[in-house]
Amino acid sequence: MKRLPAPIMMMWQKSNRFMIVDSKIIDTLRHLPDMIPMLRESYPDWNIRVFNREEQDCSNYLSPNRRDFYKALLISRGAGVFTMGLHTYYIDEPTLLFIHPNDIISWRNLSTEAAGYYVLFKKDFINQHVQLKTVIDKFGLFSQKMKSVIRLNEDEVSRVSEYYEKMKEEELAETVYKEDAIQALLQLLMVESMKISRHPKPDEVTGDYRQIHQFFDLLEKETAVINYATPIRIRTAKEFARSMDMHPNYLNALLKKHTGENASTHIRNRILDEAKTLLLQTDWSLQDISYSIGFADQPGFNLFFKKNTGFTPAEFRKKT
């Protein structure tokens, strides 16, 4: 396997629409920023989606945050470097990737051509289909990292592609049973994947990426269980650098080099997304939300939110 420096590219985050929750305690926010080809300020309602990479391929990206969906990706043509956690894969031949919502991942394109498919499906969708959940748990393609990447030969690409093509046909058909059909095909895709089970050995990531992974992992831990009882503890670049035993200037330079943005920008964007989540997903007061995301008072939160969105928190909650 060829060894290349691990890629870290700019974060691409999107948002969803949320259910209202009465409690001030949210163990794990269920609908965090998604990574699908839609506008950041749109809030689509979906359970499972199928995409053709030739039409809607993801560009270079880093997705450091816990998502609300699983991703089964077929790369039938094209080249790139895929990083999952602390493992890197150089991909220049057909490959299947099974990506868990909690994985910190990145992708860097190394060619202009792209072909294949990917299917995204929500956690709640799995709970609605017991057989699908059983297959996912049994095979461990998403949870056992050494199974999550599968190499394909030419004949296998043809067989696997048929499942994606049929899933896309069912999606476009818009029948009342389309989701049932797609999840059944998804199960067959996983069975076929287990029959192939050709797993390449990963490379470890570079030292730079290991530190960047540490930063995003810490940022995720700080923001993934936000609630009134456990507000954000650290929210500045200086505080994050101290927790990582490094100088703030070094952390900023490292992130700027590999992502194009410094630590403060990443922290701000993450807190901003959490603020939007709380505004849409809960009926908490603005004061409670302010406190939960680390602001001493509501006016400070209002100023932060309006500066970065153009709306006050109240206006944002009302307009969406």
Side-chain angles (χ1 to χ4, degrees), residues 120-152:
L120 311 178
F121 53 101
K122 295 280 190 73
K123 293 180 180 179
D124 290 343
F125 181 74
I126 297 175
N127 295 329
Q128 296 167 19
H129 297 275
V130 178
Q131 290 182 324
L132 176 60
K133 185 178 189 303
T134 299
V135 171
I136 289 174
D137 292 342
K138 177 181 179 180
F139 293 155
L141 289 167
F142 293 95
S143 58
Q144 299 175 36
K145 294 302 102 183
M146 299 311 293
K147 292 184 177 181
S148 297
V149 181
I150 299 174
R151 297 288 196 204
L152 307 175

Side-chain angles (χ1 to χ4, degrees), residues 95-130:
T95 304
L96 267 173
L97 301 166
F98 293 90
I99 303 169
H100 192 278
N102 293 351
D103 290 331
I104 294 177
I105 60 174
S106 67
W107 168 260
R108 181 183 179 186
N109 279 319
L110 297 179
S111 67
T112 57
E113 61 178 359
Y117 293 89
Y118 56 99
V119 56
L120 311 178
F121 53 101
K122 295 280 190 73
K123 293 180 180 179
D124 290 343
F125 181 74
I126 297 175
N127 295 329
Q128 296 167 19
H129 297 275
V130 178

Side-chain angles (χ1 to χ4, degrees), residues 65-189:
N65 301 330
R66 182 173 292 131
R67 298 166 300 281
D68 185 45
F69 58 84
Y70 291 74
K71 182 174 185 176
L73 166 64
L74 167 63
I75 300 174
S76 58
R77 189 171 66 249
V81 180
F82 176 75
T83 300
M84 180 187 299
L86 295 176
H87 289 152
T88 294
Y89 298 88
Y90 176 75
I91 296 174
D92 62 349
E93 57 187 290
T95 304
L96 267 173
L97 301 166
F98 293 90
I99 303 169
H100 192 278
N102 293 351
D103 290 331
I104 294 177
I105 60 174
S106 67
W107 168 260
R108 181 183 179 186
N109 279 319
L110 297 179
S111 67
T112 57
E113 61 178 359
Y117 293 89
Y118 56 99
V119 56
L120 311 178
F121 53 101
K122 295 280 190 73
K123 293 180 180 179
D124 290 343
F125 181 74
I126 297 175
N127 295 329
Q128 296 167 19
H129 297 275
V130 178
Q131 290 182 324
L132 176 60
K133 185 178 189 303
T134 299
V135 171
I136 289 174
D137 292 342
K138 177 181 179 180
F139 293 155
L141 289 167
F142 293 95
S143 58
Q144 299 175 36
K145 294 302 102 183
M146 299 311 293
K147 292 184 177 181
S148 297
V149 181
I150 299 174
R151 297 288 196 204
L152 307 175
N153 61 35
E154 187 174 337
D155 291 338
E156 292 161 348
V157 171
S158 179
R159 294 202 305 271
V160 168
S161 294
E162 287 184 10
Y163 292 114
Y164 283 96
E165 289 165 3
K166 290 178 180 177
M167 283 190 278
K168 188 63 180 178
E169 288 175 7
E170 292 292 342
E171 182 182 69
L172 294 175
E174 289 291 344
T175 66
V176 67
Y177 298 112
K178 75 169 186 177
E179 290 188 353
D180 297 279
I182 294 174
Q183 67 87 25
L185 289 164
L186 184 57
Q187 290 183 55
L188 292 173
L189 170 66

Side-chain angles (χ1 to χ4, degrees), residues 98-288:
F98 293 90
I99 303 169
H100 192 278
N102 293 351
D103 290 331
I104 294 177
I105 60 174
S106 67
W107 168 260
R108 181 183 179 186
N109 279 319
L110 297 179
S111 67
T112 57
E113 61 178 359
Y117 293 89
Y118 56 99
V119 56
L120 311 178
F121 53 101
K122 295 280 190 73
K123 293 180 180 179
D124 290 343
F125 181 74
I126 297 175
N127 295 329
Q128 296 167 19
H129 297 275
V130 178
Q131 290 182 324
L132 176 60
K133 185 178 189 303
T134 299
V135 171
I136 289 174
D137 292 342
K138 177 181 179 180
F139 293 155
L141 289 167
F142 293 95
S143 58
Q144 299 175 36
K145 294 302 102 183
M146 299 311 293
K147 292 184 177 181
S148 297
V149 181
I150 299 174
R151 297 288 196 204
L152 307 175
N153 61 35
E154 187 174 337
D155 291 338
E156 292 161 348
V157 171
S158 179
R159 294 202 305 271
V160 168
S161 294
E162 287 184 10
Y163 292 114
Y164 283 96
E165 289 165 3
K166 290 178 180 177
M167 283 190 278
K168 188 63 180 178
E169 288 175 7
E170 292 292 342
E171 182 182 69
L172 294 175
E174 289 291 344
T175 66
V176 67
Y177 298 112
K178 75 169 186 177
E179 290 188 353
D180 297 279
I182 294 174
Q183 67 87 25
L185 289 164
L186 184 57
Q187 290 183 55
L188 292 173
L189 170 66
M190 288 188 281
V191 172
E192 185 69 32
S193 300
M194 290 299 295
K195 289 164 61 179
I196 299 169
S197 290
R198 190 180 304 111
H199 308 290
K201 184 179 179 180
D203 290 325
E204 289 193 4
V205 298
T206 64
D208 277 6
Y209 183 81
R210 189 174 297 276
Q211 291 175 318
I212 292 174
H213 181 280
Q214 182 186 1
F215 167 77
F216 284 118
D217 187 53
L218 179 60
L219 180 58
E220 172 63 22
K221 288 176 180 176
E222 281 298 312
T223 56
V225 292
I226 291 176
N227 56 60
Y228 189 79
T230 56
I232 291 178
R233 298 178 301 109
I234 60 176
R235 57 190 305 272
T236 68
K238 185 176 181 179
E239 290 170 329
F240 272 86
R242 185 186 304 118
S243 296
M244 297 171 63
D245 295 322
M246 64 176 61
H247 195 280
N249 291 347
Y250 175 79
L251 176 61
N252 278 320
L254 185 69
L255 289 167
K256 184 72 174 179
K257 173 184 175 182
H258 291 284
T259 72
E261 297 178 336
N262 60 25
S264 296
T265 301
H266 284 297
I267 296 167
R268 181 198 66 204
N269 289 342
R270 188 70 169 98
I271 291 175
L272 188 63
D273 279 320
E274 291 302 328
K276 292 178 179 179
T277 298
L278 293 174
L279 287 167
L280 296 177
Q281 189 184 9
T282 75
D283 60 357
W284 299 3
S285 70
L286 297 183
Q287 180 61 44
D288 286 348

